[in-house]
Amino acid sequence: MQSVSEIDHLSPGGGSLMIAWQLKGERVLLVGGGEVAASRIGHLLGADAHVTILSPEKGLVSATKDYIAKYPQRITYYDRRFTGPAELHKMDLVLTAIDSPVASREIVELCRQAKIPVNAADIPELCDFYFGAQIRDGPLQIMISSNGNGPRISALIKERVQASLGGYEGLAIAKIGQLRAELKERVPEIGGAVGRRRMKWMSRMCNDWSLIDFTALDDTTRQKLLDVGWEQDRIPT
């Protein structure tokens, strides 16, 4: 039976929906070119988005300049400030990273009218979503969010979580993904008894093998694992 404190801890409300937002090919407007903007660019490029940056050239930090120079196919840069609603045309997402709260609020209001999700740096009450402290290792992504209450605390927790990782988790997950994809090619059925058996077998593999074990998988051993493990419905050591 759950205690009262456990029930209170699980009570709804006050949080955010933590999701992995797919931005591949999406158009994102970033207003600003300073340090915060540079950190946003890294996240957006990592998500395969196309980024449009609006900022006077004098407001660009070196990291932002480097991104613009290195990724001309992914970043469109305009040496100017945000000029009005026309800037939002065909945008899927908007981020502001500027020093003027008044200008940020004006942009947010325009985004609301255009029904475009928006994030205003350092003004959490205006944000549709937050950027938390993030750990990235290949396909592995971990985000710690304080819901805008304490970014520095999120960063400290990130350091603790990162210190607990071995550095091979991302590779192991990539190898698991390859195994899963090849199993789905061999047994493409969705749902039904076969689909449930496939999911159960992959779950057993993940439970019984360590992450270090998975890092050793190559093309030959994956095929052998499917031949001996899947086909015989067992989990090889």
Side-chain angles (χ1 to χ4, degrees), residues 106-121:
E106 291 175 352
I107 295 171
V108 168
E109 180 57 32
L110 290 173
C111 289
R112 295 276 190 271
Q113 295 173 16
K115 300 187 184 305
I116 301 173
V118 60
N119 173 277

Side-chain angles (χ1 to χ4, degrees), residues 1-13:
M1 180 179 295
Q2 291 180 311
S3 68
V4 173
S5 61
E6 289 175 324
I7 294 173
D8 288 342
H9 179 69
L10 295 174
S11 296

Side-chain angles (χ1 to χ4, degrees), residues 44-65:
L44 294 171
L45 292 179
D48 298 319
H50 181 85
V51 186
T52 296
I53 300 174
L54 298 180
S55 173
E57 195 278 335
K58 64 180 181 180
L60 300 181
V61 297
S62 58
T64 302
K65 292 178 181 178

